[in-house]
Amino acid sequence: MRALERHRKLTAIWSSEPGFRGWFSTVNHTDVGKLFLVTAFVFFLIGGILAMLIRAQLATPHSAFAGPEIYNQIFTMHGTIMMFLFAIPTFEGLAIYLLPKLLGTRDLAYPRLTSYGYWCYLFGGSMLLVSMVLGIAPNGGWFMYPPLTGPIYSPGINTDFWLIGITFVEISAMAAAVELCVSILKYRAPGMSLDKMPIFAWYALVTALMILTGFPPLILGSILLELERAFGLPFFQADLGGDSLLWQHLFWLFGHPEVYIIFLPAAGVISTVLPVMCRTTLLGYGWVVAAAVALAFLSFALWVHHMFTTGIPHMSLALFSAASTLVAVPTGVQIFAWIGTLWKGRPELHLPMLHILGFFVTFVIGGLTGVMVAVVPFDWQVHDTAFVTAHLHYVLFGGFVFPILAGIYYWLPQVTGRKRFFRLGEIAFALIFIGFHLTFLAMHWVGLLGQRRRIDTYLPEDGWTTVNLVSSVGSFIMAMGIAIVILDVVVHVLTATRGPRNPWGAGTLEWAMIIPPPAYNFASLPHVASRDPLADDPDLPLRLARGEGYLGEPREGRRETLMVDVSSGAPEALVVYPANTRLPVAMAAMTGLFFLSLLLKFYWAVPIALAGVAALAWRWVWQLGRSVDEAPAPVGHGITLPSALGADRSPGWWGTSFLLVANGTFFGSLLFGFAFLWTVAPGWPPPALFEASLGEIAVGVAALAVTVAAVESAVRTNRAGGRPLAALLAGLIAVFCVVAVCAVMMARIPAPTEHAYYATLLVLTGYALFHALLTGLMFAFLIARVRAGFTSPSRRAEFTIVSLWTKYLVLTGALVLAACQLPDLFT
Amino acid sequence: MTDVMRIVLSPLVWLASFSAVYGLNGLLCGHGLVDAAVGSLSVQRAILVGAYGLALALQAAILVGLHMPRFASSSGFVRGVSVATGMAGFVAAAWSLMPVLTTSLC
Amino acid sequence: MMATLLALSGCGGPLSMLDPAGPAARDIATLWWVMLVGALLIFVFVLALVVAAFRRPRTAAPTHSPRDEAARERLFVVTLGIAFPVVVLLALLAYGLVIGERLLPRDEPSVVRVDAQARRSTWDFTYPGLGRTSRNVLHIPAGRPVDVAITTADVIHSFWVPRLAGKLDAIPGHINVLRIEADRPGTYSGLSAEFSGPGYSHFKFEVVAHDPAGWADFSEDGTE
Ligand code: HEM
Ligand SMILES: [Cu+2]
């Protein structure tokens, strides 16, 4: 087969539907990645316009530009949009677009999930935009502290938009995180062992793991606050056994890692682009990986530094102060590794390099002020002042926007296949750099002079007038710079000057393909033997196009790629992806219906939406099945591989494992909240403990035991070639017993609106009930599969997946049982 | 996957011990153990210092383990990175829990 | 850069934490100046390293032998990336913790205690033992430590008198104690420093520090 013919065949197999219709049915990572990036950039512009409004308002004292009602919405939406609708989705888009190309493969692990995530993001983000257009946007500040945001002090719908819209958007972050983890660990080019992974993949892996464990506390907090607002469950009301500090813990348990979730991908961009700009390789690759991992973990133990002024014991403050200063060490390792890379190579001042220099200047200042606010007494003064606003923008703009701009200019030729026409980028850089520092250096100063954040006006006597004016002028200079960047990019996309294939002389695989990239990425998958495969073998693109790699023979319209061993990158199994489908967008719409009916309090529609989601999910999974066994197939280089569906650790198994990590974090946060309220909240002990019932304990434990025994037996029977219908049916019945126990317990909880204790028990039992129902659905699914003849010893993947969920149910169910029943037994 | 576990084990254990000490102190402060003392040593301080020692011992054990042929990875790269994160975990434990020795309790 | 800023505006102002009028604020202002100088030094050093990388003479082609690589890693990663921050940060942490300990409210015979309760747009102060109350003006004796017990009747607020001390939050159901002290008699502006919805921008109060005679008058006087 000639290269051109192969190209035609692969394109026919892989490409999205043409035109507008294709947008809704595409599951291709290149397309969805671009959609993500463009959407996120639009949100950046909206957030930026809001920032200009803020600066216009603060430019002079006594400003009458916007009253507090509107102004509060403006800064809340600015912060919210920038953090949730710009920064995180930009990472998702970048990783979705780049990773398969960097890793030398054809797509991410779950193409339909990629697309589902995008639609959730778009729909959820649109909900927030609608609220803004209607003038009922959230107005409690981006961290939404109750009681201000509780039902008593914010009765309107504004806060609900935040809680529900952001949770909806978060689904897309979780989906992307699960997918990226599995893709990086299991979907790489053969031979790419962990030490040969492009450094960006390491950063993306660490970031994705952080999203999995960082977002659940916020999702939990949002659910609890929404329950309080909608149904009066008093989790955050001090006079009813709740505590507003619980929100702060849950929020910052997410909020601090969030900052590193934003920074780490940007650091990944620097680590990728900087060495190329210096014609060398990254100094201390292993150290940088270790630093990124250390940074990720450290960042989970810093959250209390946002709560230094809440009156927590000094010892606790000291612990978090210590941890917060420590986090500067791994950051320092990376900074100096990059500087060492500059010294090692021959740095050249291309446009991406300019933005990297902008990053150095800005981020180092942000890091230094960060260490300052980690020192407890200093934070007592500057907390909640403009100093902190200035610090956070040095970190976020310096640590994210500059690197992303570097990345945009670096990868734009890869995306479009063109080269830059006018030299507008340099002027834009100068304006952004100067404007940024004028704006925010000044804000440090007014902060020290006592200007609080989030005020809509001030007095001439306060002595802040000049500095604020300077700051506002600076921000408009910066805005002009951003506008020129947009112009530059648009001109780049529209002008028809073909660029060279590897304009920067990079060594990573995203440049080893035709540009703009074809839908299938690589005509055949490379065998990777070093960190810079393209540098070792400049002819690689040609050889891949000729089909000399793996999977060079397109087969019967199937989208094929390889799964590899996590550590060594040895090929393990052959994966066939699902093709274009509108299922993801339908699923996202149904999910949206669920959230919308919660928002508008159409509670009768909630069960309908849930049933719809369940039905679509059923179809979603059903489509993956095969009614006949797949024989092992040749994949090139004389290797024959089995289908991934026959593996104990199938793609679904991996995804489930990571999803359960996130779910476990959610559950752990819930237990933490319970313990926190019990020990710290005023208004405890509750009027009476939940009465223990030996009957419930006995039935519950027995039913859980039977469930897990049943699933294990089903796994074994299937592997031995039998039809495990009896075991599955027994499991299903046992699961219904679990459901019944949960329901009885929920019914027995006295007045959940009267004390946070009862409210928490309600959520705990509700959690168990939900998982029991879910497991029941899975048992039913397996029964349907077996009856339809979709299972066999070599089509066993779904059994191990259900087994994972069942064990999770047993674990959490037992803990819920203990948390509800034991306190009474032991007093 | 074991290789990935090797890399994250030590920081994970650090995170757990840090949270545990933080929670323990909050608990002890909330439940009036502040004034209990044996001689000149306050009981609360003794408990916290004990936890500090335990956390360090755990980290040391992991570091030793990462060096032992039985548990070390077969990949040189993973060995290097896991020892680096192991050191990071140890230093993090020693550093971040140090206030237990010096700072006033509640 | 900082110089331009200094030129743009001084350190004064009714709400400036850099114009301290009490021991706590003074300790923190000193801490700030120390950290500012340290940060500037580090910043200049890092930037110099970056600039120098561009200015290095390019006589020979850069070498990539494993030995050079290891030496570079030792220099940049271990020495500059690990050892240097560790030393600086340990010193800073110790300094911060010592000051933090010093600012804690501890039992002392001369301490005066007042209770402060915030609700949206007002602060109510009560003076246990004196049987007095005041609204939006806190009276204290100058030159004596004062413990303010802070709480709230509605949402979260924060008690902050920048020239006297750092801030401490008023949280429903909790009482937090902040130690403040004014060196000299005078009037000091205070702010509510946690966003509390519309009206937040104007949510302010005052602290009046009395000389001994004035304080005696205040203590004996029945109403305000
Ligand atoms: C485009 C240039 C930007 C300008 C001129 C700008 C300006 C501002 C200003 C003046 C405030 C303070 C409002 C106040 O509390 O008084 C603010 C708040 C904030 N900004 Fe930005 N910003 C920009 C970009 C960003 C970016 C890129 C991010 C994040 C990735 C971001 C995140 C935030 C957050 C989280 C807040 C806090 C909102 C709150 O207090 O609830 N900003 N911004
Ligand atoms: Cu933080």
Side-chain angles (χ1 to χ4, degrees):
Chain A
M1 202 185 308
R2 295 197 14 249
L4 195 59
E5 190 190 342
R6 178 173 300 103
H7 170 71
R8 289 222 183 90
K9 276 195 172 170
L10 282 167
T11 305
I13 297 173
W14 285 82
S15 56
S16 309
E17 292 176 51
F20 190 61
R21 284 174 54 227
W23 292 19
F24 298 99
S25 63
T26 181
V27 292
N28 182 284
H29 77 102
T30 301
D31 292 344
V32 180
K34 284 196 279 198
L35 282 175
F36 253 110
L37 286 169
V38 171
T39 314
F41 202 70
V42 170
F43 277 113
F44 175 65
L45 293 184
I46 297 171
I49 291 169
L50 293 174
M52 292 305 114
L53 296 181
I54 298 177
R55 278 320 323 169
Q57 169 89 6
L58 293 178
T60 52
H62 288 310
S63 178
F65 188 72
E69 281 77 15
I70 298 297
Y71 184 77
N72 295 349
Q73 296 185 20
I74 293 181
F75 74 72
T76 302
M77 284 305 283
H78 164 71
T80 303
I81 288 181
M82 287 297 191
M83 301 300 271
F84 295 104
L85 303 178
F86 160 60
I88 301 289
T90 301
F91 157 67
E92 288 161 32
L94 194 68
I96 287 171
Y97 179 86
L98 274 182
L99 275 173
K101 303 183 176 69
L102 280 167
L103 296 173
T105 177
R106 285 174 175 163
D107 208 329
L108 294 165
Y110 315 108
R112 293 177 302 173
L113 193 64
T114 328
S115 150
Y116 173 65
Y118 173 72
W119 296 110
C120 284
Y121 162 49
L122 186 69
F123 295 162
S126 310
M127 261 160 87
L128 283 157
L129 287 189
V130 167
S131 78
M132 207 162 68
V133 172
L134 298 181
I136 46 173
N139 54 4
W142 89 281
F143 37 77
M144 288 278 142
Y145 280 178
L148 180 61
T149 52
I152 302 172
Y153 300 102
S154 295
I157 199 174
N158 309 48
T159 307
D160 302 311
F161 268 110
W162 195 96
L163 296 171
I164 290 171
I166 293 300
T167 304
F168 192 8
V169 172
E170 235 105 275
I171 292 184
S172 92
M174 301 304 281
V178 168
E179 168 154 81
L180 295 177
C181 285
V182 179
S183 304
I184 296 168
L185 290 173
K186 296 298 292 180
Y187 289 72
R188 307 194 295 256
M192 188 185 278
S193 50
L194 286 178
D195 59 316
K196 300 191 185 73
M197 279 204 318
I199 189 73
F200 183 80
W202 273 108
Y203 276 105
L205 176 64
V206 171
T207 311
L209 284 170
M210 289 181 71
I211 290 179
L212 286 183
T213 44
F215 278 44
L218 177 65
I219 298 178
L220 172 68
S222 303
I223 293 176
L224 296 185
L225 187 50
E226 186 55 31
L227 285 173
E228 173 171 317
R229 293 177 53 84
F231 305 110
L233 304 186
F235 298 103
F236 306 110
Q237 290 173 25
D239 46 350
L240 293 175
D243 195 338
S244 57
L245 280 178
L246 174 60
W247 170 269
Q248 298 195 14
H249 279 291
L250 291 175
F251 186 89
W252 292 116
L253 212 47
F254 145 81
H256 191 84
E258 158 91 345
V259 179
Y260 287 87
I261 290 171
I262 292 175
F263 168 63
L264 281 173
V269 170
I270 305 257
S271 294
T272 309
V273 176
L274 181 80
V276 178
M277 296 290 121
C278 302
R279 320 226 138 276
T280 181
T281 52
L282 181 65
L283 179 74
Y285 173 91
W287 285 103
V288 172
V289 171
V293 172
L295 196 63
F297 279 95
L298 281 169
S299 73
F300 277 91
L302 308 185
W303 82 91
V304 170
H305 72 202
H306 297 272
M307 301 168 64
F308 277 166
T309 63
T310 55
I312 286 172
H314 193 234
M315 165 80 77
S316 310
L317 300 186
L319 290 171
F320 281 90
S321 180
S324 303
T325 47
L326 183 60
V327 81
V329 177
T331 317
V333 167
Q334 293 171 73
I335 297 271
F336 284 106
W338 293 325
I339 295 181
T341 310
L342 285 175
W343 279 68
K344 175 177 154 190
R346 306 157 166 273
E348 293 168 6
L349 272 182
H350 300 294
L351 189 48
M353 189 61 152
L354 282 181
H355 284 284
I356 289 179
L357 290 178
F359 154 82
F360 267 114
V361 173
T362 314
F363 187 74
V364 169
I365 295 179
L368 290 168
T369 54
V371 171
M372 293 182 189
V373 290
V375 177
V376 178
F378 185 64
D379 187 67
W380 285 339
Q381 279 285 25
V382 295
H383 176 72
D384 263 328
T385 67
F387 188 93
V388 168
T389 317
H391 153 71
L392 77 92
H393 285 86
Y394 266 82
V395 179
L396 290 171
F397 207 98
F400 189 74
V401 179
F402 276 125
I404 291 298
L405 287 173
I408 288 179
Y409 278 116
Y410 177 75
W411 278 299
L412 207 53
Q414 203 275 348
V415 179
T416 61
R418 305 194 163 140
K419 66 180 182 207
R420 220 146 57 88
F421 193 64
F422 297 117
R423 307 258 130 202
L424 287 175
E426 283 76 3
I427 303 167
F429 168 76
L431 289 176
I432 295 175
F433 184 82
I434 294 168
F436 175 85
H437 286 272
L438 267 185
T439 312
F440 289 103
L441 215 49
M443 277 173 69
H444 287 112
W445 203 246
V446 278
L448 293 172
L449 296 183
Q451 181 172 328
R452 293 163 293 166
R453 68 195 280 194
R454 298 176 170 174
I455 52 169
D456 61 315
T457 175
Y458 51 91
L459 305 174
E461 301 89 278
D462 291 328
W464 309 324
T465 314
T466 326
V467 191
N468 271 307
L469 189 63
V470 170
S471 171
S472 294
V473 170
S475 72
F476 283 89
I477 297 179
M478 169 167 41
M480 273 168 4
I482 305 265
I484 298 181
V485 169
I486 299 170
L487 189 68
D488 196 23
V489 171
V490 170
V491 169
H492 173 118
V493 173
L494 296 183
T495 51
T497 30
R498 282 241 145 253
R501 185 182 261 192
N502 186 0
W504 311 108
T508 38
L509 286 170
E510 81 272 31
W511 303 101
M513 55 179 69
I514 318 169
I515 56 173
Y520 55 84
N521 282 349
F522 300 95
S524 61
L525 305 189
H527 188 96
V528 171
S530 87
R531 233 170 264 158
D532 295 292
L534 191 55
D536 299 345
D537 177 7
D539 287 336
L540 186 66
L542 217 64
R543 295 202 292 106
L544 293 182
R546 277 200 240 114
E548 289 175 24
Y550 297 88
L551 295 176
E553 303 301 316
R555 252 191 296 257
E556 333 150 17
R558 303 184 343 156
R559 300 188 176 186
E560 292 182 326
T561 197
L562 298 179
M563 248 171 115
V564 299
D565 175 65
V566 171
S567 301
S568 67
E572 258 180 357
L574 178 65
V575 177
V576 181
Y577 288 125
N580 298 332
T581 161
R582 276 183 201 79
L583 201 52
V585 69
M587 180 81 144
M590 198 54 92
T591 319
L593 181 67
F594 168 74
F595 284 106
L596 204 63
S597 38
L598 287 179
L599 177 68
L600 302 177
K601 307 214 184 314
F602 293 162
Y603 294 121
W604 51 268
V606 171
I608 301 176
L610 279 179
V613 169
L616 288 173
W618 185 291
R619 255 196 83 182
W620 185 296
V621 187
W622 191 267
Q623 287 179 347
L624 289 176
R626 294 271 186 283
S627 49
V628 286
D629 283 346
E630 299 234 340
V635 298
H637 290 249
I639 298 179
T640 300
L641 289 180
S643 150
L645 287 183
D648 282 330
R649 303 195 162 184
S650 61
W653 185 91
W654 283 97
T656 304
S657 308
F658 284 104
L659 187 59
L660 287 180
V661 168
N663 198 345
T665 317
F666 181 90
F667 185 67
S669 311
L670 183 56
L671 290 182
F672 161 79
F674 191 35
F676 177 85
L677 288 179
W678 196 304
T679 51
V680 175
W684 283 64
L689 288 179
F690 179 79
E691 228 177 284
S693 146
L694 291 177
E696 282 162 14
I697 300 179
V699 176
V701 169
L704 289 173
V706 172
T707 334
V708 74
V711 82
E712 286 304 298
S713 150
V715 169
R716 261 177 306 180
T717 313
N718 176 68
R719 193 168 304 170
R723 280 161 56 93
L725 279 175
L728 288 173
L729 208 60
L732 190 59
I733 293 166
V735 168
F736 276 110
C737 293
V738 179
V739 171
V741 171
C742 292
V744 170
M745 281 168 63
M746 284 174 91
R748 282 208 305 121
I749 296 171
T753 51
E754 259 146 51
H755 199 280
Y757 170 67
Y758 305 129
T760 315
L761 290 190
L762 195 67
V763 175
L764 277 167
T765 43
Y767 181 88
L769 181 80
F770 173 76
H771 281 81
L773 286 173
L774 192 65
T775 314
L777 191 67
M778 292 183 186
F779 273 94
F781 181 86
L782 280 187
I783 292 175
R785 276 290 209 220
V786 174
R787 296 185 42 136
F790 272 57
T791 56
S792 78
S794 72
R795 281 171 285 146
R796 57 173 186 259
E798 282 150 2
F799 285 92
T800 44
I801 296 172
V802 175
S803 158
L804 268 185
W805 280 100
T806 310
K807 286 173 191 155
Y808 184 78
L809 169 71
V810 170
L811 185 72
T812 52
L815 285 171
V816 168
L817 213 53
C820 296
Q821 310 269 4
L822 291 192
D824 184 35
L825 281 186
F826 284 101
T827 45
Chain B
M1 207 53 202
T2 5
D3 270 351
V4 177
M5 288 317 287
R6 283 187 181 97
I7 293 177
V8 300
L9 179 63
S10 166
L12 193 63
V13 170
W14 165 78
L15 188 58
S17 35
F18 181 83
S19 313
V21 170
Y22 164 67
L24 193 65
N25 182 52
L27 218 68
L28 294 173
C29 281
H31 288 266
L33 260 177
V34 192
D35 299 325
V38 182
S40 62
L41 187 73
S42 105
V43 173
Q44 181 170 350
R45 173 92 58 200
I47 296 177
L48 290 173
V49 173
Y52 186 23
L54 194 66
L56 285 181
L58 265 176
Q59 291 293 338
I62 295 174
L63 256 185
V64 172
L66 288 173
H67 277 100
M68 286 199 318
R70 237 183 95 201
F71 300 110
S73 166
S74 54
S75 143
F77 168 77
V78 174
R79 239 180 356 256
V81 174
S82 60
V83 167
T85 55
M87 300 282 255
F90 186 85
V91 172
W95 176 310
S96 64
L97 294 177
M98 197 161 35
V100 155
L101 302 176
T102 56
T103 311
S104 54
L105 291 166
C106 291
Chain C
M1 259 170 300
M2 277 298 165
T4 26
L5 275 178
L6 272 166
L8 279 172
S9 76
C11 303
L15 292 165
S16 170
M17 66 187 80
L18 301 182
D19 183 13
R26 198 163 37 245
D27 274 353
I28 299 177
T30 313
L31 174 65
W32 153 252
W33 291 115
V34 170
M35 290 195 300
L36 177 64
V37 171
L40 279 177
L41 289 177
I42 295 174
F43 178 66
V44 168
F45 171 62
V46 172
L47 231 58
L49 278 181
V50 172
V51 171
F54 284 85
R55 300 256 147 162
R56 264 171 351 123
R58 307 252 174 257
T59 42
T63 50
H64 288 279
S65 75
R67 277 214 13 230
D68 292 344
E69 193 79 0
R72 273 194 209 102
E73 282 187 17
R74 258 199 314 282
L75 172 63
F76 283 101
V77 176
V78 180
T79 311
L80 289 171
I82 300 181
F84 168 57
V86 162
V87 172
V88 174
L89 291 169
L90 267 184
L92 179 64
L93 179 65
Y95 180 26
L97 289 184
V98 168
I99 293 198
E101 284 285 312
R102 201 153 77 200
L103 301 186
L104 291 184
R106 288 178 199 288
D107 288 339
E108 259 177 73
S110 61
V111 173
V112 177
R113 171 155 175 141
V114 295
D115 292 336
Q117 190 186 46
R119 62 159 46 82
R120 286 208 270 188
S121 79
T122 51
W123 281 92
D124 285 308
F125 300 104
T126 43
Y127 304 83
L130 303 186
R132 297 200 47 158
T133 63
S134 62
R135 175 163 284 190
N136 289 338
V137 182
L138 170 62
H139 297 273
I140 60 169
R144 278 173 69 184
V146 178
D147 279 356
V148 190
I150 302 161
T151 190
T152 170
D154 48 25
V155 301
I156 300 178
H157 304 280
S158 196
F159 178 97
W160 188 31
V161 189
R163 295 189 59 207
L164 298 186
K167 61 180 73 63
L168 197 60
D169 292 353
I171 296 175
H174 295 265
I175 294 175
N176 289 327
V177 180
L178 178 71
R179 165 74 47 94
I180 63 173
E181 182 176 338
D183 296 331
R184 267 182 295 281
T187 305
Y188 304 96
S189 304
L191 293 167
S192 231
E194 177 66 57
F195 178 64
S196 54
Y200 173 63
S201 304
H202 305 292
F203 194 178
K204 301 178 179 175
F205 61 92
E206 267 182 358
V207 176
V208 177
H210 297 277
D211 57 17
W215 179 247
D217 279 355
F218 176 77
S219 307
E220 278 147 33
D221 208 15
T223 51
E224 190 188 349

